[in-house]
Amino acid sequence: MQQAIAILDSGVGGLTVVKEVMRQLPREKIIYFGDTARTPYGPRPSEEVKKFTEQMVDFLIQFDPKVIIIACNTATAAALDYISQKVSIPVIGVIHPGARAAISATATGHVGVIGTVGTIRSGAYTAALKQLSPYVDVVSHACPALVPLVEQGLFRSKTTSQVVEETLRPIQTYPIDCLILGCTHYPFLKETIQEVMGPAVKLISSADETARETSTILYNKGKLEAGDETPVHQLFCSGDPELFQRIAAQWLGEQIRQTPVVWQVTNLD
Amino acid sequence: MQQAIAILDSGVGGLTVVKEVMRQLPREKIIYFGDTARTPYGPRPSEEVKKFTEQMVDFLIQFDPKVIIIACNTATAAALDYISQKVSIPVIGVIHPGARAAISATATGHVGVIGTVGTIRSGAYTAALKQLSPYVDVVSHACPALVPLVEQGLFRSKTTSQVVEETLRPIQTYPIDCLILGCTHYPFLKETIQEVMGPAVKLISSADETARETSTILYNKGKLEAGDETPVHQLFCSGDPELFQRIAAQWLGEQIRQTPVVWQVTNLD
């Protein structure tokens, strides 16, 4: 029986990590949980986010996964250390991979970070960047208006452009050469964000980078799947399974042969 | 006492990894060994490369490093598994990081690899790429003429352009969208290689990617340096220390305050 990669998120945002794991590690089976009934996590108190994250981990751990990815920046900031101590398998958050990629990508040392209120308030990106290099200069900005756009499936629209433009205005005055998309929902809006920021600013997707580091960690533990069996993925959410399925089908379209069934779990707590 | 990152190579090529480690992890102390007396490794039998690599490891392990980077593709292909079993600290090769970065970067799935005769003959890149994804299409090409250019310090010259152009001609007929620089010497020639391949082909430096994965692995082991002390690096080589020092000063120029002393070790075997 193939051991899976478990991925959890506050909602559909973690599907950006799922898409990249499917692309970079097509042999691996994925089990996903999106807490769509309680999204967004960004404005919630840290203790509550920690509790919700633990409930998802308790659910996913039953499937005996080989690794858990906390594919939500808010949950990573609130619960990564706690969950890492609680379970005996590797737990990967999305903040450090994004920070490492930005350090690797920046030429000027001026790095921008956007994220939810919870992520930005935690200072976790700044700490991760400064832990790596004292020479990096970080400017961060909370963007609470962006997650709701994605959870409604509004990836490209006039409203989307307007909201993104208004939201990013404060960060445009800084001379950054790369911008960390410090929320796994943001890659859904990548084209619009790139248009607004201009071509000189390199966007770093913490989602893409986390998929890549998962590959690194599984390789170094000798845990990469070797077989040629097509993996059967499993998707779970706590809210409306039809909306979730529609977004999953639209976003994962190229990666999956058929729209996966989405199971709704309503008694997480 | 700060534990160092030990880096070894057949000659000066590993300095491309050193430069990136200095940039991405400026708090870390580096101890480097370049086997310049016996370079190039590319055309040598695999068993001989394995023996030479082991001799460098035996030298470096005396300094109690926290990780060893085999910053040479030929040596990685020949000796990574052997050295990993021999020592109790993590050993990082340059092949898998390059392969993972290429899988992450390619849009079409057509990936090119250039390297020494030894690296290409080993098939190690193709194996690493195929281990990650069965959908990737790999074309590889040995370029024995490039390492001697770098070991002589000819980074940018008319000869360099001519040799690079002639060397890369066979691979230009393939529809690749990224090319792995599967030899740590090649980043010295990056500008010329990019000119010859054209802007549509993304160059993947196994050196840069290895520095980044070292950051990932040290973080996950809780072994990143936390202090603000300026690290004092140590450089060793087996051949002419003056030529080595000149190349090191030229290549690492921006990263180091003063030209480091280079110690010559002549009795490795």
Side-chain angles (χ1 to χ4, degrees):
Chain A
M1 175 95 170
Q2 195 177 347
Q3 256 192 314
I5 295 174
I7 303 179
L8 62 88
D9 178 50
S10 63
V12 299
L15 291 173
T16 58
V17 177
V18 169
K19 187 175 186 169
E20 274 300 304
V21 171
M22 285 179 173
R23 196 177 71 81
Q24 295 184 33
L25 294 169
R27 290 190 167 89
E28 302 294 335
K29 173 187 168 84
I30 294 165
I31 301 177
Y32 183 87
F33 198 100
D35 196 5
T36 48
R38 303 188 288 196
T39 197
Y41 279 11
R44 292 184 187 272
S46 165
E47 275 308 307
E48 191 176 37
V49 171
K50 198 165 135 184
K51 193 182 82 187
F52 290 178
T53 306
E54 186 173 13
Q55 289 168 345
M56 285 191 277
V57 168
D58 287 345
F59 177 81
L60 288 166
I61 208 83
Q62 305 173 89
F63 297 90
D64 186 30
K66 55 185 168 185
V67 63
I68 294 174
I69 303 176
I70 301 183
C72 171
N73 286 266
T74 312
T76 298
L80 176 64
D81 290 346
Y82 174 68
I83 301 294
S84 296
Q85 278 164 20
K86 186 186 154 111
V87 303
S88 59
I89 53 173
V91 183
I92 301 172
V94 281
I95 290 176
H96 283 84
R100 275 187 283 273
I103 292 277
S104 169
T106 183
T108 62
H110 296 284
V111 174
V113 183
I114 53 174
T116 66
V117 171
T119 302
I120 299 304
R121 192 180 45 207
S122 76
Y125 270 103
T126 306
L129 288 160
K130 292 278 185 192
Q131 182 191 14
L132 293 167
S133 171
Y135 307 120
V136 76
D137 178 52
V138 189
V139 51
S140 49
H141 181 55
C143 304
L146 303 188
V147 168
L149 288 174
V150 175
E151 290 288 337
Q152 291 163 68
L154 291 175
F155 309 155
R156 284 290 253 178
S157 76
K158 213 168 164 180
T159 312
T160 308
S161 296
Q162 280 166 350
V163 173
V164 170
E165 214 174 305
E166 223 161 275
T167 301
L168 296 182
R169 200 164 297 148
I171 209 160
Q172 285 179 292
T173 56
Y174 293 93
I176 57 172
D177 72 348
C178 69
L179 178 65
I180 300 176
L181 305 182
C183 173
T184 50
H185 286 74
Y186 298 172
F188 283 99
L189 309 171
K190 199 170 180 179
E191 279 94 5
T192 311
I193 295 173
Q194 188 75 70
E195 280 163 20
V196 171
M197 294 305 296
V201 175
K202 188 171 175 180
L203 303 186
I204 307 285
S205 159
S206 58
D208 296 6
E209 305 303 335
T210 299
R212 176 157 162 216
E213 294 212 355
T214 302
S215 174
T216 305
I217 288 164
L218 289 180
Y219 166 74
N220 279 285
K221 293 208 171 281
K223 286 283 206 177
L224 280 175
E225 184 57 37
D228 274 327
E229 224 177 302
T230 306
V232 180
H233 308 300
Q234 286 171 282
L235 303 182
F236 298 90
C237 70
S238 56
D240 177 4
E242 284 174 32
L243 175 60
F244 188 94
Q245 189 168 49
R246 203 164 68 235
I247 293 178
Q250 191 180 344
W251 183 250
L252 303 175
E254 304 153 30
Q255 305 293 338
I256 48 176
R257 305 261 176 271
Q258 61 190 81
T259 310
V261 178
V262 176
W263 306 96
Q264 186 181 17
V265 178
T266 52
N267 58 339
L268 211 59
D269 49 4
Chain B
M1 175 93 171
Q2 195 179 344
Q3 257 193 312
I5 295 175
I7 303 179
L8 62 87
D9 178 50
S10 63
V12 299
L15 291 173
T16 58
V17 178
V18 169
K19 187 174 186 170
E20 275 300 304
V21 172
M22 285 179 174
R23 197 177 70 82
Q24 294 184 34
L25 294 169
R27 288 191 168 89
E28 302 294 333
K29 174 187 168 85
I30 294 166
I31 301 177
Y32 183 88
F33 198 100
D35 196 5
T36 47
R38 302 188 290 197
T39 198
Y41 279 10
R44 293 183 187 272
S46 166
E47 274 308 307
E48 191 176 37
V49 172
K50 197 164 137 186
K51 193 182 83 187
F52 290 177
T53 306
E54 186 173 13
Q55 289 168 344
M56 284 191 278
V57 168
D58 288 345
F59 177 81
L60 289 166
I61 208 82
Q62 304 173 88
F63 297 89
D64 186 30
K66 55 184 167 185
V67 62
I68 293 174
I69 303 176
I70 301 182
C72 170
N73 286 267
T74 312
T76 298
L80 177 64
D81 291 346
Y82 175 67
I83 301 294
S84 296
Q85 277 163 20
K86 186 185 154 112
V87 302
S88 58
I89 53 174
V91 183
I92 301 173
V94 282
I95 291 177
H96 283 85
R100 276 186 283 274
I103 292 279
S104 169
T106 183
T108 62
H110 296 284
V111 174
V113 183
I114 52 174
T116 66
V117 171
T119 302
I120 298 304
R121 190 179 47 206
S122 76
Y125 270 103
T126 306
L129 288 159
K130 293 277 184 193
Q131 182 190 14
L132 293 167
S133 170
Y135 307 119
V136 77
D137 178 52
V138 189
V139 50
S140 49
H141 181 57
C143 303
L146 303 188
V147 168
L149 288 176
V150 176
E151 290 287 337
Q152 291 164 70
L154 291 173
F155 309 156
R156 285 290 252 178
S157 75
K158 212 167 163 179
T159 313
T160 308
S161 296
Q162 281 167 352
V163 172
V164 170
E165 214 174 305
E166 222 161 277
T167 300
L168 296 182
R169 199 163 297 147
I171 209 159
Q172 284 179 292
T173 55
Y174 293 92
I176 57 172
D177 72 349
C178 69
L179 178 65
I180 300 175
L181 305 182
C183 172
T184 50
H185 285 76
Y186 297 171
F188 283 98
L189 309 171
K190 200 170 179 178
E191 279 94 6
T192 311
I193 295 173
Q194 188 74 69
E195 280 163 20
V196 171
M197 294 306 295
V201 175
K202 188 172 173 177
L203 303 186
I204 306 285
S205 159
S206 58
D208 295 6
E209 305 302 335
T210 299
R212 178 161 160 212
E213 294 212 355
T214 302
S215 175
T216 305
I217 288 164
L218 290 180
Y219 166 74
N220 279 285
K221 292 207 171 281
K223 286 284 206 176
L224 281 176
E225 184 58 36
D228 274 327
E229 225 177 302
T230 306
V232 180
H233 308 300
Q234 287 172 281
L235 304 181
F236 299 90
C237 70
S238 55
D240 178 4
E242 284 174 32
L243 175 60
F244 188 93
Q245 189 169 47
R246 203 165 66 238
I247 294 177
Q250 190 179 344
W251 183 249
L252 304 174
E254 304 152 31
Q255 304 293 340
I256 47 175
R257 305 262 176 269
Q258 61 189 82
T259 311
V261 177
V262 177
W263 305 96
Q264 186 181 18
V265 177
T266 53
N267 58 339
L268 211 59
D269 50 3

